[in-house]
Amino acid sequence: QGCVQKYIVKNYFYYYLFKFSAALGEEIFYITFLPFIYWNVDHSVSRRMIIIWSIVMYIGQVSKDILKWPRPLSPPVVKLEMRTNAEYGMPSTHAMAATAISFSFLIATMNQYKYPFELGLVAAFVFSTLVCLSRLYTGMHTVLDVIGGALISAVLLVLLYPVWDVIDHLLLTSPFCPLLSIVVPLVLCYNYPKLDYYSPTRGDTTTILGAGAGATVGFWLNNRYAAPAYTSENFSLGFPLITSKIVVVVLARFFVGIIIVLLTRQLMKSVVLGMLGYRYKFPISDLEARRRLEVEVPYKFITYSSVGFSATVVVPVLHELLGLM
């Protein structure tokens, strides 16, 4: 795994720019940005982004553990992150996620909202480029890892775009959607490629698929049993005109929603870990026990599927009760 090098920051602008850019490809971004789009922009945009994000990230994570290309050696590279250092390098899932998120957002909104397409294209390119460059700056990937990740994501977008609407329609209307949304991701998580040592890729993949599964069940329930919310007939962000009232409502929705999401995550994490600890006879603080397949997969899947469900079902109900619709 190489050694940890000490370093001195000489250019704080680049240091904080790329540290921030790297965070745009991590959980803290997904757990805030994707729900924000759902609560404040458009349901259809959010659904498509979550579908693309789940598929792209699963393929990227599995590809890492199949290809087993090592990350850059340190030294000579100085690594600014250590959590994901145990993972393999090719492809860069940060690059894949950034490309998928930015360009799927562009594709999903360009025909629904009036804004200059060139501006949206530049924004998507800048966003994905910053995240890609951050992986080089932090020493976590080679140029080939980053280019490979971006290209894989681009190819997947091209392949999925023709069936985008079909997939979305099936997820909303098929009576088998809730069952398949839970069973298929669980099967994929339990049959994740095995490694000779522990890597956080399986846990991260379970987190992503769990969140996507919970959100998908929420989409199905909302379409089947609840009145459509956050549409132009009620209230939506609307890029051409942003008033002070809109800003206040957007911020209120976001803060109420994110508090519920974080509380859900913390509550479910404690409950599920406690139940699994009782079942398999280990203390919650035992990190090694939490890394075992029979613990890690149900713990992360149930926790984050609850987060996805809460964001798409519980939070909208709370918004309506608080008069934020």
Side-chain angles (χ1 to χ4, degrees), residues 45-81:
V45 173
S46 177
R47 287 198 306 270
R48 285 159 171 76
M49 291 178 70
I50 290 174
I51 292 168
I52 293 294
W53 171 66
S54 300
I55 294 173
V56 164
M57 289 299 289
Y58 175 75
I59 291 175
Q61 295 285 77
V62 169
S63 298
K64 282 186 178 185
D65 289 341
I66 292 176
L67 293 174
K68 298 183 178 181
W69 287 21
R71 290 186 182 271
L73 292 177
S74 175
V77 167
V78 177
K79 295 185 177 181
L80 305 186
E81 299 176 12

PDB file of all heavy atoms in Angstrom, residues 45-81:
ATOM      1  N   VAL A  45     -36.237  14.674 -13.207  1.00  0.00           N
ATOM      2  CA  VAL A  45     -34.796  14.935 -13.295  1.00  0.00           C
ATOM      3  C   VAL A  45     -34.061  14.124 -12.234  1.00  0.00           C
ATOM      4  O   VAL A  45     -33.056  13.460 -12.510  1.00  0.00           O
ATOM      5  CB  VAL A  45     -34.499  16.438 -13.125  1.00  0.00           C
ATOM      6  CG1 VAL A  45     -32.991  16.683 -13.039  1.00  0.00           C
ATOM      7  CG2 VAL A  45     -35.091  17.232 -14.277  1.00  0.00           C
ATOM      8  N   SER A  46     -34.566  14.159 -11.006  1.00  0.00           N
ATOM      9  CA  SER A  46     -33.930  13.434  -9.912  1.00  0.00           C
ATOM     10  C   SER A  46     -33.944  11.930 -10.149  1.00  0.00           C
ATOM     11  O   SER A  46     -32.946  11.245  -9.914  1.00  0.00           O
ATOM     12  CB  SER A  46     -34.650  13.757  -8.596  1.00  0.00           C
ATOM     13  OG  SER A  46     -34.100  13.030  -7.527  1.00  0.00           O
ATOM     14  N   ARG A  47     -35.065  11.405 -10.622  1.00  0.00           N
ATOM     15  CA  ARG A  47     -35.165   9.964 -10.876  1.00  0.00           C
ATOM     16  C   ARG A  47     -34.111   9.515 -11.876  1.00  0.00           C
ATOM     17  O   ARG A  47     -33.420   8.517 -11.667  1.00  0.00           O
ATOM     18  CB  ARG A  47     -36.552   9.609 -11.411  1.00  0.00           C
ATOM     19  CG  ARG A  47     -37.662   9.656 -10.386  1.00  0.00           C
ATOM     20  CD  ARG A  47     -38.880   8.883 -10.883  1.00  0.00           C
ATOM     21  NE  ARG A  47     -39.324   9.329 -12.189  1.00  0.00           N
ATOM     22  CZ  ARG A  47     -40.218  10.287 -12.404  1.00  0.00           C
ATOM     23  NH1 ARG A  47     -40.747  10.931 -11.378  1.00  0.00           N
ATOM     24  NH2 ARG A  47     -40.590  10.602 -13.630  1.00  0.00           N
ATOM     25  N   ARG A  48     -34.002  10.247 -12.963  1.00  0.00           N
ATOM     26  CA  ARG A  48     -33.054   9.865 -14.004  1.00  0.00           C
ATOM     27  C   ARG A  48     -31.607   9.947 -13.509  1.00  0.00           C
ATOM     28  O   ARG A  48     -30.783   9.087 -13.833  1.00  0.00           O
ATOM     29  CB  ARG A  48     -33.245  10.748 -15.235  1.00  0.00           C
ATOM     30  CG  ARG A  48     -34.491  10.370 -16.035  1.00  0.00           C
ATOM     31  CD  ARG A  48     -34.970  11.496 -16.933  1.00  0.00           C
ATOM     32  NE  ARG A  48     -36.017  11.066 -17.837  1.00  0.00           N
ATOM     33  CZ  ARG A  48     -37.285  10.861 -17.478  1.00  0.00           C
ATOM     34  NH1 ARG A  48     -37.648  11.047 -16.221  1.00  0.00           N
ATOM     35  NH2 ARG A  48     -38.183  10.466 -18.366  1.00  0.00           N
ATOM     36  N   MET A  49     -31.306  10.966 -12.727  1.00  0.00           N
ATOM     37  CA  MET A  49     -29.953  11.103 -12.196  1.00  0.00           C
ATOM     38  C   MET A  49     -29.612   9.967 -11.233  1.00  0.00           C
ATOM     39  O   MET A  49     -28.495   9.429 -11.262  1.00  0.00           O
ATOM     40  CB  MET A  49     -29.805  12.451 -11.492  1.00  0.00           C
ATOM     41  CG  MET A  49     -29.838  13.643 -12.433  1.00  0.00           C
ATOM     42  SD  MET A  49     -29.727  15.202 -11.547  1.00  0.00           S
ATOM     43  CE  MET A  49     -28.033  15.124 -10.987  1.00  0.00           C
ATOM     44  N   ILE A  50     -30.558   9.582 -10.389  1.00  0.00           N
ATOM     45  CA  ILE A  50     -30.310   8.506  -9.427  1.00  0.00           C
ATOM     46  C   ILE A  50     -30.152   7.167 -10.138  1.00  0.00           C
ATOM     47  O   ILE A  50     -29.295   6.349  -9.767  1.00  0.00           O
ATOM     48  CB  ILE A  50     -31.445   8.458  -8.381  1.00  0.00           C
ATOM     49  CG1 ILE A  50     -31.348   9.690  -7.465  1.00  0.00           C
ATOM     50  CG2 ILE A  50     -31.384   7.172  -7.557  1.00  0.00           C
ATOM     51  CD1 ILE A  50     -32.484   9.839  -6.491  1.00  0.00           C
ATOM     52  N   ILE A  51     -30.947   6.933 -11.178  1.00  0.00           N
ATOM     53  CA  ILE A  51     -30.817   5.693 -11.956  1.00  0.00           C
ATOM     54  C   ILE A  51     -29.435   5.615 -12.590  1.00  0.00           C
ATOM     55  O   ILE A  51     -28.728   4.600 -12.477  1.00  0.00           O
ATOM     56  CB  ILE A  51     -31.913   5.624 -13.040  1.00  0.00           C
ATOM     57  CG1 ILE A  51     -33.296   5.454 -12.409  1.00  0.00           C
ATOM     58  CG2 ILE A  51     -31.629   4.478 -14.013  1.00  0.00           C
ATOM     59  CD1 ILE A  51     -34.440   5.658 -13.377  1.00  0.00           C
ATOM     60  N   ILE A  52     -29.033   6.690 -13.265  1.00  0.00           N
ATOM     61  CA  ILE A  52     -27.731   6.719 -13.932  1.00  0.00           C
ATOM     62  C   ILE A  52     -26.608   6.578 -12.906  1.00  0.00           C
ATOM     63  O   ILE A  52     -25.643   5.813 -13.100  1.00  0.00           O
ATOM     64  CB  ILE A  52     -27.560   8.031 -14.720  1.00  0.00           C
ATOM     65  CG1 ILE A  52     -28.537   8.076 -15.897  1.00  0.00           C
ATOM     66  CG2 ILE A  52     -26.128   8.198 -15.207  1.00  0.00           C
ATOM     67  CD1 ILE A  52     -28.259   7.040 -16.966  1.00  0.00           C
ATOM     68  N   TRP A  53     -26.711   7.314 -11.815  1.00  0.00           N
ATOM     69  CA  TRP A  53     -25.685   7.287 -10.769  1.00  0.00           C
ATOM     70  C   TRP A  53     -25.503   5.879 -10.212  1.00  0.00           C
ATOM     71  O   TRP A  53     -24.379   5.396 -10.061  1.00  0.00           O
ATOM     72  CB  TRP A  53     -26.085   8.262  -9.663  1.00  0.00           C
ATOM     73  CG  TRP A  53     -25.254   8.215  -8.424  1.00  0.00           C
ATOM     74  CD1 TRP A  53     -23.944   8.554  -8.290  1.00  0.00           C
ATOM     75  CD2 TRP A  53     -25.693   7.815  -7.110  1.00  0.00           C
ATOM     76  NE1 TRP A  53     -23.532   8.401  -6.989  1.00  0.00           N
ATOM     77  CE2 TRP A  53     -24.584   7.951  -6.252  1.00  0.00           C
ATOM     78  CE3 TRP A  53     -26.911   7.383  -6.598  1.00  0.00           C
ATOM     79  CZ2 TRP A  53     -24.665   7.657  -4.896  1.00  0.00           C
ATOM     80  CZ3 TRP A  53     -26.995   7.083  -5.249  1.00  0.00           C
ATOM     81  CH2 TRP A  53     -25.880   7.216  -4.413  1.00  0.00           C
ATOM     82  N   SER A  54     -26.598   5.185  -9.925  1.00  0.00           N
ATOM     83  CA  SER A  54     -26.518   3.838  -9.351  1.00  0.00           C
ATOM     84  C   SER A  54     -25.854   2.866 -10.321  1.00  0.00           C
ATOM     85  O   SER A  54     -24.973   2.081  -9.929  1.00  0.00           O
ATOM     86  CB  SER A  54     -27.922   3.333  -8.990  1.00  0.00           C
ATOM     87  OG  SER A  54     -28.548   4.175  -8.051  1.00  0.00           O
ATOM     88  N   ILE A  55     -26.262   2.903 -11.578  1.00  0.00           N
ATOM     89  CA  ILE A  55     -25.715   1.981 -12.575  1.00  0.00           C
ATOM     90  C   ILE A  55     -24.241   2.260 -12.817  1.00  0.00           C
ATOM     91  O   ILE A  55     -23.399   1.343 -12.822  1.00  0.00           O
ATOM     92  CB  ILE A  55     -26.506   2.087 -13.900  1.00  0.00           C
ATOM     93  CG1 ILE A  55     -27.943   1.597 -13.703  1.00  0.00           C
ATOM     94  CG2 ILE A  55     -25.820   1.282 -15.009  1.00  0.00           C
ATOM     95  CD1 ILE A  55     -28.843   1.816 -14.899  1.00  0.00           C
ATOM     96  N   VAL A  56     -23.907   3.530 -13.013  1.00  0.00           N
ATOM     97  CA  VAL A  56     -22.527   3.913 -13.305  1.00  0.00           C
ATOM     98  C   VAL A  56     -21.604   3.553 -12.145  1.00  0.00           C
ATOM     99  O   VAL A  56     -20.510   2.999 -12.345  1.00  0.00           O
ATOM    100  CB  VAL A  56     -22.449   5.421 -13.619  1.00  0.00           C
ATOM    101  CG1 VAL A  56     -21.016   5.934 -13.533  1.00  0.00           C
ATOM    102  CG2 VAL A  56     -23.012   5.704 -15.008  1.00  0.00           C
ATOM    103  N   MET A  57     -22.029   3.850 -10.930  1.00  0.00           N
ATOM    104  CA  MET A  57     -21.174   3.587  -9.787  1.00  0.00           C
ATOM    105  C   MET A  57     -20.991   2.096  -9.537  1.00  0.00           C
ATOM    106  O   MET A  57     -19.902   1.650  -9.168  1.00  0.00           O
ATOM    107  CB  MET A  57     -21.738   4.273  -8.538  1.00  0.00           C
ATOM    108  CG  MET A  57     -21.617   5.785  -8.566  1.00  0.00           C
ATOM    109  SD  MET A  57     -19.896   6.335  -8.660  1.00  0.00           S
ATOM    110  CE  MET A  57     -19.320   5.926  -7.023  1.00  0.00           C
ATOM    111  N   TYR A  58     -22.044   1.311  -9.737  1.00  0.00           N
ATOM    112  CA  TYR A  58     -21.898  -0.133  -9.553  1.00  0.00           C
ATOM    113  C   TYR A  58     -20.889  -0.700 -10.547  1.00  0.00           C
ATOM    114  O   TYR A  58     -19.986  -1.470 -10.170  1.00  0.00           O
ATOM    115  CB  TYR A  58     -23.239  -0.844  -9.712  1.00  0.00           C
ATOM    116  CG  TYR A  58     -23.096  -2.347  -9.654  1.00  0.00           C
ATOM    117  CD1 TYR A  58     -22.872  -2.998  -8.449  1.00  0.00           C
ATOM    118  CD2 TYR A  58     -23.131  -3.112 -10.823  1.00  0.00           C
ATOM    119  CE1 TYR A  58     -22.705  -4.372  -8.392  1.00  0.00           C
ATOM    120  CE2 TYR A  58     -22.960  -4.479 -10.776  1.00  0.00           C
ATOM    121  CZ  TYR A  58     -22.748  -5.107  -9.559  1.00  0.00           C
ATOM    122  OH  TYR A  58     -22.556  -6.471  -9.521  1.00  0.00           O
ATOM    123  N   ILE A  59     -21.025  -0.327 -11.804  1.00  0.00           N
ATOM    124  CA  ILE A  59     -20.102  -0.817 -12.832  1.00  0.00           C
ATOM    125  C   ILE A  59     -18.678  -0.360 -12.537  1.00  0.00           C
ATOM    126  O   ILE A  59     -17.719  -1.128 -12.675  1.00  0.00           O
ATOM    127  CB  ILE A  59     -20.556  -0.339 -14.232  1.00  0.00           C
ATOM    128  CG1 ILE A  59     -21.854  -1.048 -14.615  1.00  0.00           C
ATOM    129  CG2 ILE A  59     -19.475  -0.598 -15.282  1.00  0.00           C
ATOM    130  CD1 ILE A  59     -22.466  -0.576 -15.913  1.00  0.00           C
ATOM    131  N   GLY A  60     -18.524   0.872 -12.088  1.00  0.00           N
ATOM    132  CA  GLY A  60     -17.195   1.386 -11.778  1.00  0.00           C
ATOM    133  C   GLY A  60     -16.550   0.661 -10.605  1.00  0.00           C
ATOM    134  O   GLY A  60     -15.378   0.275 -10.662  1.00  0.00           O
ATOM    135  N   GLN A  61     -17.317   0.445  -9.539  1.00  0.00           N
ATOM    136  CA  GLN A  61     -16.773  -0.222  -8.351  1.00  0.00           C
ATOM    137  C   GLN A  61     -16.387  -1.673  -8.649  1.00  0.00           C
ATOM    138  O   GLN A  61     -15.326  -2.150  -8.242  1.00  0.00           O
ATOM    139  CB  GLN A  61     -17.801  -0.182  -7.213  1.00  0.00           C
ATOM    140  CG  GLN A  61     -18.125   1.222  -6.706  1.00  0.00           C
ATOM    141  CD  GLN A  61     -17.027   1.798  -5.840  1.00  0.00           C
ATOM    142  OE1 GLN A  61     -16.000   2.247  -6.332  1.00  0.00           O
ATOM    143  NE2 GLN A  61     -17.245   1.780  -4.544  1.00  0.00           N
ATOM    144  N   VAL A  62     -17.262  -2.377  -9.364  1.00  0.00           N
ATOM    145  CA  VAL A  62     -16.974  -3.768  -9.700  1.00  0.00           C
ATOM    146  C   VAL A  62     -15.770  -3.858 -10.636  1.00  0.00           C
ATOM    147  O   VAL A  62     -14.923  -4.747 -10.503  1.00  0.00           O
ATOM    148  CB  VAL A  62     -18.214  -4.431 -10.342  1.00  0.00           C
ATOM    149  CG1 VAL A  62     -17.852  -5.785 -10.948  1.00  0.00           C
ATOM    150  CG2 VAL A  62     -19.315  -4.608  -9.304  1.00  0.00           C
ATOM    151  N   SER A  63     -15.682  -2.927 -11.583  1.00  0.00           N
ATOM    152  CA  SER A  63     -14.556  -2.924 -12.525  1.00  0.00           C
ATOM    153  C   SER A  63     -13.227  -2.804 -11.789  1.00  0.00           C
ATOM    154  O   SER A  63     -12.240  -3.445 -12.166  1.00  0.00           O
ATOM    155  CB  SER A  63     -14.703  -1.772 -13.523  1.00  0.00           C
ATOM    156  OG  SER A  63     -15.868  -1.918 -14.302  1.00  0.00           O
ATOM    157  N   LYS A  64     -13.192  -1.988 -10.742  1.00  0.00           N
ATOM    158  CA  LYS A  64     -11.962  -1.853  -9.954  1.00  0.00           C
ATOM    159  C   LYS A  64     -11.484  -3.192  -9.414  1.00  0.00           C
ATOM    160  O   LYS A  64     -10.307  -3.543  -9.521  1.00  0.00           O
ATOM    161  CB  LYS A  64     -12.196  -0.900  -8.766  1.00  0.00           C
ATOM    162  CG  LYS A  64     -12.189   0.560  -9.098  1.00  0.00           C
ATOM    163  CD  LYS A  64     -12.292   1.365  -7.808  1.00  0.00           C
ATOM    164  CE  LYS A  64     -12.236   2.847  -8.097  1.00  0.00           C
ATOM    165  NZ  LYS A  64     -12.204   3.652  -6.868  1.00  0.00           N
ATOM    166  N   ASP A  65     -12.419  -3.933  -8.836  1.00  0.00           N
ATOM    167  CA  ASP A  65     -12.030  -5.169  -8.165  1.00  0.00           C
ATOM    168  C   ASP A  65     -11.877  -6.342  -9.128  1.00  0.00           C
ATOM    169  O   ASP A  65     -11.421  -7.414  -8.722  1.00  0.00           O
ATOM    170  CB  ASP A  65     -13.044  -5.504  -7.067  1.00  0.00           C
ATOM    171  CG  ASP A  65     -12.923  -4.534  -5.897  1.00  0.00           C
ATOM    172  OD1 ASP A  65     -11.867  -3.888  -5.781  1.00  0.00           O
ATOM    173  OD2 ASP A  65     -13.884  -4.418  -5.116  1.00  0.00           O
ATOM    174  N   ILE A  66     -12.266  -6.155 -10.372  1.00  0.00           N
ATOM    175  CA  ILE A  66     -12.002  -7.166 -11.396  1.00  0.00           C
ATOM    176  C   ILE A  66     -10.659  -6.894 -12.069  1.00  0.00           C
ATOM    177  O   ILE A  66      -9.836  -7.791 -12.248  1.00  0.00           O
ATOM    178  CB  ILE A  66     -13.137  -7.199 -12.442  1.00  0.00           C
ATOM    179  CG1 ILE A  66     -14.428  -7.725 -11.801  1.00  0.00           C
ATOM    180  CG2 ILE A  66     -12.738  -8.068 -13.640  1.00  0.00           C
ATOM    181  CD1 ILE A  66     -15.620  -7.710 -12.731  1.00  0.00           C
ATOM    182  N   LEU A  67     -10.421  -5.627 -12.420  1.00  0.00           N
ATOM    183  CA  LEU A  67      -9.173  -5.269 -13.094  1.00  0.00           C
ATOM    184  C   LEU A  67      -7.971  -5.313 -12.148  1.00  0.00           C
ATOM    185  O   LEU A  67      -6.877  -5.704 -12.537  1.00  0.00           O
ATOM    186  CB  LEU A  67      -9.297  -3.866 -13.707  1.00  0.00           C
ATOM    187  CG  LEU A  67     -10.293  -3.721 -14.853  1.00  0.00           C
ATOM    188  CD1 LEU A  67     -10.424  -2.258 -15.261  1.00  0.00           C
ATOM    189  CD2 LEU A  67      -9.866  -4.562 -16.055  1.00  0.00           C
ATOM    190  N   LYS A  68      -8.184  -4.838 -10.904  1.00  0.00           N
ATOM    191  CA  LYS A  68      -7.131  -4.845  -9.870  1.00  0.00           C
ATOM    192  C   LYS A  68      -5.880  -4.064 -10.293  1.00  0.00           C
ATOM    193  O   LYS A  68      -4.760  -4.500 -10.062  1.00  0.00           O
ATOM    194  CB  LYS A  68      -6.773  -6.285  -9.495  1.00  0.00           C
ATOM    195  CG  LYS A  68      -7.930  -7.067  -8.892  1.00  0.00           C
ATOM    196  CD  LYS A  68      -7.518  -8.458  -8.464  1.00  0.00           C
ATOM    197  CE  LYS A  68      -8.695  -9.196  -7.828  1.00  0.00           C
ATOM    198  NZ  LYS A  68      -8.347 -10.554  -7.378  1.00  0.00           N
ATOM    199  N   TRP A  69      -6.104  -2.904 -10.899  1.00  0.00           N
ATOM    200  CA  TRP A  69      -4.984  -2.022 -11.224  1.00  0.00           C
ATOM    201  C   TRP A  69      -4.638  -1.212  -9.982  1.00  0.00           C
ATOM    202  O   TRP A  69      -5.512  -0.580  -9.393  1.00  0.00           O
ATOM    203  CB  TRP A  69      -5.355  -1.083 -12.370  1.00  0.00           C
ATOM    204  CG  TRP A  69      -5.424  -1.756 -13.705  1.00  0.00           C
ATOM    205  CD1 TRP A  69      -5.595  -3.081 -13.948  1.00  0.00           C
ATOM    206  CD2 TRP A  69      -5.347  -1.114 -14.978  1.00  0.00           C
ATOM    207  NE1 TRP A  69      -5.635  -3.324 -15.291  1.00  0.00           N
ATOM    208  CE2 TRP A  69      -5.479  -2.138 -15.957  1.00  0.00           C
ATOM    209  CE3 TRP A  69      -5.187   0.196 -15.393  1.00  0.00           C
ATOM    210  CZ2 TRP A  69      -5.447  -1.868 -17.317  1.00  0.00           C
ATOM    211  CZ3 TRP A  69      -5.157   0.467 -16.756  1.00  0.00           C
ATOM    212  CH2 TRP A  69      -5.274  -0.552 -17.696  1.00  0.00           C
ATOM    213  N   PRO A  70      -3.392  -1.195  -9.566  1.00  0.00           N
ATOM    214  CA  PRO A  70      -3.024  -0.483  -8.336  1.00  0.00           C
ATOM    215  C   PRO A  70      -3.120   1.028  -8.486  1.00  0.00           C
ATOM    216  O   PRO A  70      -3.043   1.563  -9.595  1.00  0.00           O
ATOM    217  CB  PRO A  70      -1.578  -0.924  -8.100  1.00  0.00           C
ATOM    218  CG  PRO A  70      -1.070  -1.261  -9.462  1.00  0.00           C
ATOM    219  CD  PRO A  70      -2.230  -1.854 -10.205  1.00  0.00           C
ATOM    220  N   ARG A  71      -3.277   1.682  -7.350  1.00  0.00           N
ATOM    221  CA  ARG A  71      -3.215   3.145  -7.332  1.00  0.00           C
ATOM    222  C   ARG A  71      -1.756   3.586  -7.485  1.00  0.00           C
ATOM    223  O   ARG A  71      -0.845   2.771  -7.360  1.00  0.00           O
ATOM    224  CB  ARG A  71      -3.798   3.679  -6.023  1.00  0.00           C
ATOM    225  CG  ARG A  71      -5.305   3.517  -5.903  1.00  0.00           C
ATOM    226  CD  ARG A  71      -5.816   4.185  -4.653  1.00  0.00           C
ATOM    227  NE  ARG A  71      -7.238   4.003  -4.485  1.00  0.00           N
ATOM    228  CZ  ARG A  71      -8.174   4.813  -4.979  1.00  0.00           C
ATOM    229  NH1 ARG A  71      -7.817   5.866  -5.693  1.00  0.00           N
ATOM    230  NH2 ARG A  71      -9.450   4.565  -4.757  1.00  0.00           N
ATOM    231  N   PRO A  72      -1.526   4.880  -7.735  1.00  0.00           N
ATOM    232  CA  PRO A  72      -0.143   5.378  -7.829  1.00  0.00           C
ATOM    233  C   PRO A  72       0.645   5.078  -6.566  1.00  0.00           C
ATOM    234  O   PRO A  72       0.106   5.129  -5.457  1.00  0.00           O
ATOM    235  CB  PRO A  72      -0.327   6.892  -8.025  1.00  0.00           C
ATOM    236  CG  PRO A  72      -1.691   7.044  -8.601  1.00  0.00           C
ATOM    237  CD  PRO A  72      -2.515   5.944  -7.984  1.00  0.00           C
ATOM    238  N   LEU A  73       1.911   4.743  -6.724  1.00  0.00           N
ATOM    239  CA  LEU A  73       2.759   4.440  -5.572  1.00  0.00           C
ATOM    240  C   LEU A  73       3.128   5.702  -4.804  1.00  0.00           C
ATOM    241  O   LEU A  73       3.329   6.767  -5.389  1.00  0.00           O
ATOM    242  CB  LEU A  73       4.033   3.741  -6.040  1.00  0.00           C
ATOM    243  CG  LEU A  73       3.868   2.323  -6.604  1.00  0.00           C
ATOM    244  CD1 LEU A  73       5.206   1.798  -7.085  1.00  0.00           C
ATOM    245  CD2 LEU A  73       3.263   1.383  -5.568  1.00  0.00           C
ATOM    246  N   SER A  74       3.192   5.566  -3.501  1.00  0.00           N
ATOM    247  CA  SER A  74       3.567   6.694  -2.642  1.00  0.00           C
ATOM    248  C   SER A  74       4.677   6.255  -1.692  1.00  0.00           C
ATOM    249  O   SER A  74       4.426   5.419  -0.804  1.00  0.00           O
ATOM    250  CB  SER A  74       2.357   7.165  -1.835  1.00  0.00           C
ATOM    251  OG  SER A  74       2.706   8.165  -0.919  1.00  0.00           O
ATOM    252  N   PRO A  75       5.935   6.802  -1.848  1.00  0.00           N
ATOM    253  CA  PRO A  75       6.363   7.747  -2.874  1.00  0.00           C
ATOM    254  C   PRO A  75       6.489   7.083  -4.251  1.00  0.00           C
ATOM    255  O   PRO A  75       6.429   5.878  -4.316  1.00  0.00           O
ATOM    256  CB  PRO A  75       7.730   8.207  -2.337  1.00  0.00           C
ATOM    257  CG  PRO A  75       8.237   7.039  -1.540  1.00  0.00           C
ATOM    258  CD  PRO A  75       7.019   6.405  -0.942  1.00  0.00           C
ATOM    259  N   PRO A  76       6.616   7.867  -5.345  1.00  0.00           N
ATOM    260  CA  PRO A  76       6.884   9.307  -5.374  1.00  0.00           C
ATOM    261  C   PRO A  76       5.647  10.190  -5.204  1.00  0.00           C
ATOM    262  O   PRO A  76       5.760  11.360  -4.888  1.00  0.00           O
ATOM    263  CB  PRO A  76       7.481   9.508  -6.771  1.00  0.00           C
ATOM    264  CG  PRO A  76       6.806   8.475  -7.599  1.00  0.00           C
ATOM    265  CD  PRO A  76       6.669   7.271  -6.705  1.00  0.00           C
ATOM    266  N   VAL A  77       4.433   9.633  -5.432  1.00  0.00           N
ATOM    267  CA  VAL A  77       3.230  10.446  -5.307  1.00  0.00           C
ATOM    268  C   VAL A  77       2.938  10.716  -3.834  1.00  0.00           C
ATOM    269  O   VAL A  77       3.121   9.844  -2.990  1.00  0.00           O
ATOM    270  CB  VAL A  77       2.036   9.725  -5.960  1.00  0.00           C
ATOM    271  CG1 VAL A  77       0.722  10.385  -5.575  1.00  0.00           C
ATOM    272  CG2 VAL A  77       2.190   9.705  -7.464  1.00  0.00           C
ATOM    273  N   VAL A  78       2.470  11.907  -3.536  1.00  0.00           N
ATOM    274  CA  VAL A  78       2.017  12.249  -2.186  1.00  0.00           C
ATOM    275  C   VAL A  78       0.500  12.099  -2.144  1.00  0.00           C
ATOM    276  O   VAL A  78      -0.212  12.756  -2.897  1.00  0.00           O
ATOM    277  CB  VAL A  78       2.421  13.692  -1.808  1.00  0.00           C
ATOM    278  CG1 VAL A  78       1.863  14.043  -0.429  1.00  0.00           C
ATOM    279  CG2 VAL A  78       3.918  13.849  -1.836  1.00  0.00           C
ATOM    280  N   LYS A  79       0.003  11.230  -1.280  1.00  0.00           N
ATOM    281  CA  LYS A  79      -1.432  10.974  -1.190  1.00  0.00           C
ATOM    282  C   LYS A  79      -2.051  11.806  -0.077  1.00  0.00           C
ATOM    283  O   LYS A  79      -1.602  11.750   1.066  1.00  0.00           O
ATOM    284  CB  LYS A  79      -1.688   9.485  -0.971  1.00  0.00           C
ATOM    285  CG  LYS A  79      -1.254   8.631  -2.164  1.00  0.00           C
ATOM    286  CD  LYS A  79      -1.623   7.174  -1.984  1.00  0.00           C
ATOM    287  CE  LYS A  79      -1.236   6.379  -3.225  1.00  0.00           C
ATOM    288  NZ  LYS A  79      -1.586   4.947  -3.112  1.00  0.00           N
ATOM    289  N   LEU A  80      -3.080  12.547  -0.431  1.00  0.00           N
ATOM    290  CA  LEU A  80      -3.745  13.419   0.530  1.00  0.00           C
ATOM    291  C   LEU A  80      -4.971  12.760   1.158  1.00  0.00           C
ATOM    292  O   LEU A  80      -5.612  13.352   2.019  1.00  0.00           O
ATOM    293  CB  LEU A  80      -4.167  14.728  -0.150  1.00  0.00           C
ATOM    294  CG  LEU A  80      -3.058  15.504  -0.864  1.00  0.00           C
ATOM    295  CD1 LEU A  80      -3.593  16.846  -1.358  1.00  0.00           C
ATOM    296  CD2 LEU A  80      -1.859  15.715   0.044  1.00  0.00           C
ATOM    297  N   GLU A  81      -5.325  11.568   0.713  1.00  0.00           N
ATOM    298  CA  GLU A  81      -6.450  10.833   1.272  1.00  0.00           C
ATOM    299  C   GLU A  81      -5.966   9.434   1.627  1.00  0.00           C
ATOM    300  O   GLU A  81      -5.121   8.875   0.937  1.00  0.00           O
ATOM    301  CB  GLU A  81      -7.597  10.731   0.266  1.00  0.00           C
ATOM    302  CG  GLU A  81      -8.181  12.062  -0.163  1.00  0.00           C
ATOM    303  CD  GLU A  81      -9.250  11.885  -1.232  1.00  0.00           C
ATOM    304  OE1 GLU A  81      -9.679  10.730  -1.448  1.00  0.00           O
ATOM    305  OE2 GLU A  81      -9.634  12.877  -1.845  1.00  0.00           O
TER     306      GLU A  81
END
